[in-house]
Structure formats: C-alpha cells, structure tokens
Amino acid sequence: MGLDRRSFISLVAGGVAGSLFTPVIWKTLDDVSIWTQNWPWIPRLQYGEELTFPALCKLGSDAYGVKVKTVGGRPVTAEGNPDHPLSLGGICPLGAASVHLLYSPSRVKNPKLKDGSSFKDITWAEAEELLAGKIREAGSNVAMISGDETGSVTDVLSGLVGKAGSDKSFFMPGESAPAAAALAMLGGDGQVGYDIENANYVLLLGADALGSWGNVARNGKAFSASREKGVKFVYVGPAQNGTSAVADSWVPCNTGTEPVLALGIAAVIAGTSRDRSSWPGFASFAKFVQTAYPLDKVAEITGVKAAVITGLAQELVRAGRPLVLTAAEAGQGLGAFELAAGMSLNMLLQRVNAVGGVRILPWAPKVVEAAADRKTMFANDLVAYLSSVADGGAEAPALLMVYGANPAYALPNLTKAQAAMDKAGFVVSFSSFMDETAAMADLIMPDSYAFERLDDAYSPYGSGQPNYTVVAPVIKPVFDTRPAGDVLLVVAAKAELDLGFESFEDVVKAKAEALGADFDEMVEGAAWVSEEFPAQDLALWTTPLQELAVAAKDGKSLALAPVQRLKIGSAKIAIPPFNTNAIRFDEMLGNDMYVLLNAATAKNLGLKKDDAVKIASSGGECKARVRIFEGVMNDTVVAPLGLGHTAWDAFSRDKGDNVYKLLAADTEAESGLSRFATVRVTVSKA
Amino acid sequence: MQAKEFKVKWGMLVDLDKCTGCGACTVACRAENNLPPEADAANKLRTNDWMNIYELSNEKPFPDHEVAYLPRPCMQCGHPSCSTVCPVVATLKDEEGGIVSQVYPRCIGCRYCMAACPYHARYFNWFDPIWPEGMEKVLTPYASARPRGVVEKCTFCHHRFMAAKEQARMNGEDPTELAEDAYIPACAEICPTGAIKFGNLKNPEHEVSKLAASKYAFRLLEKLGTDPQVYYYSKREWVRKLGDNYLKNAKGGEHV
C-alpha cells in the first residue's frame, strides 16, 4: 500500500492534533517550568494588618518625614510623608531603601569592645560601666563629634562633654556652619533658610538642590510645582548633574568659583542706576566688588563669559521674586566669606526675610543646660582640630565620642583625621552600623536604628521655615541595641554628671515645650511649623572685605569637582543593599568607579575611555577609570563622594575609591573655618 | 493584528524635563516588588532592574552638551512582542486595564520574550535571589518571590490595582472608574520631583490622558508599532528624537 502526499499530510496533522490530547506534552511543559525554577529556598509571603507610621529619615544631610508601612507589625517599605513640610510626599533614594537597613549585614547587633584586632561581645551593663569609668578618668579631656545637626541626641552628648568641663563639641563639615558665619559677617544671627516654594526665579550657584543638597525631597516638590508656574531655574556649576538636567539652563562655572561669580553679578547690579547709597555697608561693598571683581576678571576666574554674567544680573533684577542659593557642589567645602558672597546678592536684591527669598530662622531652643548651642558648635571646626591633634599642635582627647557620623571615612584632610583618632585615648562609637569609625573604635555602643527609637529634628539646614518633628519608634529594636540618647543619660548618671534629665523622652518633651509644640500630637505625625522669623538688621558687610582665595591654575593640574549622589550613600551611610542597582554601568566598571572628563581635557592628558587613572592631590590619592562626559568644564575632573568604603558590607566595601582622601583643606582666616571646595589634582595613567 | 481594547487603559507618563535621575524610583520598585539585593549590580548584563534609568546625551561637545534622564519600566505594549512569542502563555495582555501580565510559575525561562522585547524591559533571574540574613523579614506581601530561571518584569505594581479595585467595591464604587489617585505604582508615588504621572489614558479627567495628547509627548520606538502605554514628555526636541532612535548619520536620516 502506497502513501500518497495527501495521506501523509493528513497523518502528520492528525498526529500533531492527537498529541495535544495526550497529557504528555502539557505535563512535560509543566515539568520544564519546575526544572527551570530551581531554588533551594522559597519564602512564603507573610500577610497581616497594614498600617503606616510617621518616621524620620536622616540618612543624607537632610532630615525629613517619611511614612513606614508595616504588615503584621513588620516594617516593609518607606514612602514620602505628604503631611511633612520637608517631604510633601517625596523621598530620596536613601529614604526609599531605609527600611531594609534595619537588617543590613552591617548592623552592629550588640555592644562590642576592641580585643586586639577584633571585637568581643560585652553586655550593656559592662559597656555603660566602662564608658562611665572612662569619662571619670578623662576629666575635661573629652571631645565629641556628631553628624546630626538637627536632633536632641547631639545636645545630650554635647551636654555630657560640657558637664565634664570640655568645650570640644564638633559637627561634621557641612554648610550650616559657614552659612551661620556668613550671616554673622553681615550682622545677622540665626539659621539660613531658602523659601524656594515662593521664588519666581531661582539661581542655583553650585547647589545640587534636586540631587543632594539641603532638603532634597522638599526641593524636588517645590521645583515640580514651580514648573507649572513658569518659574525659571538656572544651575551654575562645573558639571551637569541631576539639577542641571532639568533646570532651564546650565551655566558652566569653574569648581568652587561660584561665589566669585556672585560677586561679579553683584558688581553689575551695584553699578545699575538705582540709588542704594543709604543702605548700610553699600558704599564700601559696591566699591569693593567693582574694584576687585570687574567683569573680565570674574570671567577669567569662573570661566563664565562676561555677557552671561551681565545677563544673569539683568534677569535677577527683572525677576519679581528672585532667590540666589549658594553652595558647594558636594554640599560642603565653601568658606563663610564665599557663602556671604552669595548672600550679598540676595541682600542687593532685597530678598532677605522676604517671601520667596532667604529666610533667617531662629536657633533651636537649648534645653540641656551644659550643652554647647548650635551657634557655638558651628564655630568649632572639626577638621582644623583633628589636623592640629595629628600634627601635635593640640592635645589628643583622652576620650572621643562619635554619634551619627563617620569621621574616619568622610572628612577632608582624611589621613590627619584618622591619625588624630588613632592618637585619642579611647574612642567610642554610637553607630547602628559597622562603619569605618566603628571599626576603629575601642568601644561600640550600637545605637538603635532610625525606626527603633524616639528621635527629633529641628529645622534642617535650608528649611524655608522653622519646623520641628518628633517621631516615636515604629518597631522594637531587632537586635540588642539601645537609643544613644538614653544610653548617654544613663552613663552620665553613672559618671555622676547631672544633665538635668532622666530619659531622652524628657529632653524631647522639654524642647517641644520650649517651642510651643504639642509633643503628643507630634508623635502622632503632625509636624510643628512656625512663620516667625527674627528681625535682622543686616549690613552688606560688617567685617573687612577680602578677595576670595581661588586655587591658582598651573597648566598641569585639574580642578576637582567632588559630587554627592544620594543613591550611592552619604557621609553617614554607605551604599544600601537595595541601591546597588541604581548605579549605572557608566558609573562603575567592576569595582572601579568612573571619574568624568570632557574629551578635550582627556585628549590633553592622553587619556581615553575606560583608562585606569591615578588622581592625586596634596591630601592623597585615588584610583578610578575615565569616562568621557561632555557635561564637564575643561580642565576639570568630576569624582563621586561616597564610594571606597573599607568597612560596611559586600554591597559597598571596596567599590570605587574614597574621594575624601583628595580633599585637602585650608583655613579661612576670617572665620577660622576649613574650606576645601577648590582642590586641584593631577590625573595620570595608573 | 488589532490591539486588544479595554475600557480602562492604565498609562504612565514620565516628564523627562522633571526627572533628575536620582534613582528613588528604582529603589522603591525593588522594595515594593521583592526584588533581591544584588552586590554587583553596576554591570547590567545579568542584573534585575524592573525600573532602569538611562542617561541621554545630545552628544554635542562641551559647552553645548545637554543631558536628560530616562526611567524605563515595562512599556505594557498594546501589541506586546513578548506575549506573542511565549511558548507557554506565561505572559498575556488580557485583563481590564491593559497591563501585560507575567505568570511566574508557568515560565520555563526560554527567554524568547526577552529577545522579542525591544525595550529590554524583561529580566531573567540568573541567580538564586538571596536576601541577607534577616532581610527577608521586610519582604512585602504584594509580589511573590521569583525563583532562579524565571523571567520577570514591571507590572505597574499590579497588586495596587487589585487593592484599589477591592477598595472601590467595598466602598460601593465602580472599580472600572477609579479616581486618579486610587491606584498609583510605587515609582510614581515616590518620585521626589513628580516626574512620573499615572492614570487611565481613556479617562479625559486624568492628567495622564491630557499630557499624552501633548505635542511634547512621545513613546519609545513608536514606529515599531508596539503601541506602548508608557509615554514620555519633553520639550527638548533632541530628547524626543532619541526616543524614536533617530540617527542623524543613518542613511537618509531615517530610522534603522
């Protein structure tokens, strides 16, 4: 019997159709999915009642309200808090990852005492006795470093140091200190804030306001709302960043010379026909800026064309409610005189204590009597102190206590800072994480994490209005940790130093009462906000005017533009486990970070894409690879702060290099503050 | 082939003139949808990012250079390339709202869908998803954890859609007429500059539908005919051109 073509096709088609009626194929496909889904451990989802609790995020330089979502009592995610004035529903990339840090591999799970090159576990009772003993032994030779400018734990720690007879209470570098000193130079007193929401023209001199500077979440919301109203944003800085990407225009300006540009613009405005002769300090200021900062000189220093400078001045004068915001690209490193330069522009435009202008906020009330107040602490320069200790110019503290900060990683003059900490008799770290400072400390008294403790924040730097936030714990401590505020009060009592409070909650209640805020309402989620601004009697300058110090170009070195990107961490926190994916392939190759050069600069140096390079300054050296990016000024190298950790965990350790090593600081004569915004470096093939 | 039409069509619009590339959306997406942390994630060849942010450049030399940031979730295409090639019907567009689903237990990991997707919006689980000890406690109850060997992708936080519908039914409201803020994916909710808008493209009262009709709105690789439900918005012409893979040096200045 033959098989013709028709029969053959019928047979095949029938066979195929028939096979679909057998379970074999379907079973096989089902099995394939099981074979391919090969996993030794499959978590079952845990359900439960869903609630949200107000909390604070202090992982960046800011402090703002978030809402932590819990499921069956377990925190699972964090979102912006629409009811908080510094969040308005927004959140930064660190806040978005904040819940997972509860269980970070870097958490310090119990008190630890240095034992040779490692640590041994001790009990809280032992740790408290030990620290109390060290306080008694040290007498007045104690010092403290805090990374939290907004919270009352700093007051308790500073109170402890003050009660022991020491005035060595320090903050990590930032812009609050030079801003306060700048305001003092102009005859003012208070905390500087910016009413971005109500400005109709915002000139950002260096400030990466939408990426890393100040109240990032609130700045973002203000920017977003401004878009609908046609408000113009102009970003001035050496490199394009997140802020410049969405600003109406980017004005390239040499690193750290934005204050020179401010004085150049001021010279143009001062030269307009408007009669300002009766303004306090105007005559000497106008003479100074017009003599010291003629257009051609400013253009040469800043790299901004004279016509652009004039154009910016005209736009500012024409705008009804302009606001000038001056900051370093990395949010630190400018001196007081430089911030005063930016402030003087606001004064010339009559934008101080005006709607949509610069606002002067009152200082936080002092409730711990022995503590140094904020103004005093901002005047104490940590970088200079540690450098002096390292060089033998100052006595090393017998006891150094560190809270909410990582000075062994995130300070300019880093080598000296580390040497000074080595010289200290006994170092105590109140850190939730095994950061570089904790790793080198003699005693770690692990602070409960943000969502495990009562905490507060008064008007983070840049806030447009006075505000105060208090949050209750969302969850009990998941490890054997305790809130630093309470631990310090217990230790103070053991050391027989009376700070006037028995619990940290009492301290916060006293502060709320001093502000006229309702503690009970605040722990439920309501933030306290005030519209009262102390009257200021400002003059354009009350201290001698001087030319800004600008690092000289030598034709061989490049200007360093250190930048902060919150997605990869901050001075306080390393890359959170959930943030590694936010790093783009053009930001890191393997474990090598990229620094950015434009093509012309790279060509001059004989460098091309992906070349391994060594970057060196008088402070130290870093390794990196080259990425060609045309959004960078000539003869400038952009390098990210926040990488190159030596402690922490697999999500951050040994990724990139620590650019703080390159930040060599000098001292501003007038204010005594350290400045490091105009560092010059050499870039060569590694 | 005609796209399947739905009464409700959920759409996203990303305003590239507001996006600063900060990365908050990427992190929020991971947290909400139980994507595991990855220690080595800068190399994107084997990472898992439902929401990825690209940096766009106008490719002009300094100082004429401009930059923009483009967050890229799954496009939830009207004509999904992925579902047509899936041999086991693990991915489909058949639910009201027009969200392209992905049925993880059915996926055999053949990765045809990844090859077909022109947006690189699908990700293969190359590795066992491992949370550091204790971190599994923050797993949300919203998205089941996916095993190694499975392809996954953005779902517009579909669980939030389900919850919003449920809430509407409980309130005695029509679940097909959800208010604009009743259902918002995690990325859109968290964006600090409000760059990501979300809503029903077919509801003229939703902002997304108005913005999507703007002359400044565009979709990625629109000429491929995939009919994405994710729109982008920029007043910058070079950004819009890049969105459609415009190549100035291509033959005839056309698309390739």
Side-chain angles (χ1 to χ4, degrees), chain A residues 281-296:
Chain A
F282 177 76
S284 59
F285 176 75
K287 188 179 170 191
F288 167 69
V289 289
Q290 287 177 333
T291 311
Y293 293 102
L295 272 179
D296 53 346

Side-chain angles (χ1 to χ4, degrees), chain B residues 131-146:
Chain B
W131 280 263
E133 187 184 350
M135 206 180 276
E136 77 281 357
K137 290 184 181 138
V138 300
L139 281 169
T140 70
Y142 312 132
S144 57
R146 287 78 58 190

Side-chain angles (χ1 to χ4, degrees), chain A residues 262-284:
Chain A
L263 292 179
I265 295 171
V268 176
I269 294 175
T272 52
S273 57
R274 182 171 177 186
D275 182 15
R276 298 181 179 87
S277 56
S278 62
W279 293 15
F282 177 76
S284 59

Side-chain angles (χ1 to χ4, degrees), chain A residues 348-526:
Chain A
L348 272 184
L349 296 160
Q350 293 189 292
R351 304 300 300 145
V352 178
N353 269 357
V355 173
V358 171
R359 314 298 287 267
I360 312 302
L361 279 56
W363 295 108
K366 185 171 151 180
V367 294
V368 179
E369 205 49 48
D373 58 33
R374 289 292 186 269
K375 192 177 173 185
T376 307
M377 281 188 73
F378 286 141
N380 292 346
D381 191 278
L382 174 63
V383 180
Y385 168 66
L386 291 180
S387 297
S388 180
V389 169
D391 293 339
E395 187 185 1
L399 173 64
L400 174 66
M401 292 180 281
V402 183
Y403 166 74
N406 189 7
Y409 166 82
L411 279 179
N413 288 0
L414 186 59
T415 315
K416 286 187 178 180
Q418 289 167 338
M421 292 175 74
D422 274 337
K423 277 187 167 183
F426 194 79
V427 178
V428 184
S429 165
F430 295 92
S431 172
S432 300
F433 302 96
M434 185 59 85
D435 57 22
E436 283 77 3
T437 305
M440 68 166 290
D442 298 291
L443 174 66
I444 310 174
M445 302 181 87
D447 188 16
S448 295
Y449 183 58
F451 305 146
E452 302 168 328
R453 66 185 187 224
L454 176 79
D455 205 353
D456 66 342
Y458 174 79
S459 307
Y461 175 62
S463 298
Q465 55 193 152
N467 58 84
Y468 186 53
T469 312
V470 178
V471 290
V474 176
I475 183 176
K476 286 180 185 167
V478 296
F479 301 117
D480 186 17
T481 62
R482 292 185 186 177
D486 285 319
V487 170
L488 284 162
L489 288 167
V490 169
V491 169
K494 284 181 189 286
E496 294 171 357
L497 299 173
D498 182 11
L499 298 183
F501 294 93
E502 287 192 355
S503 75
F504 183 64
E505 184 173 324
D506 291 342
V507 177
V508 175
K509 279 181 176 169
K511 190 171 268 186
E513 192 178 337
L515 284 166
D518 188 317
F519 176 85
D520 296 325
E521 279 182 15
M522 294 181 76
V523 289
E524 295 294 321

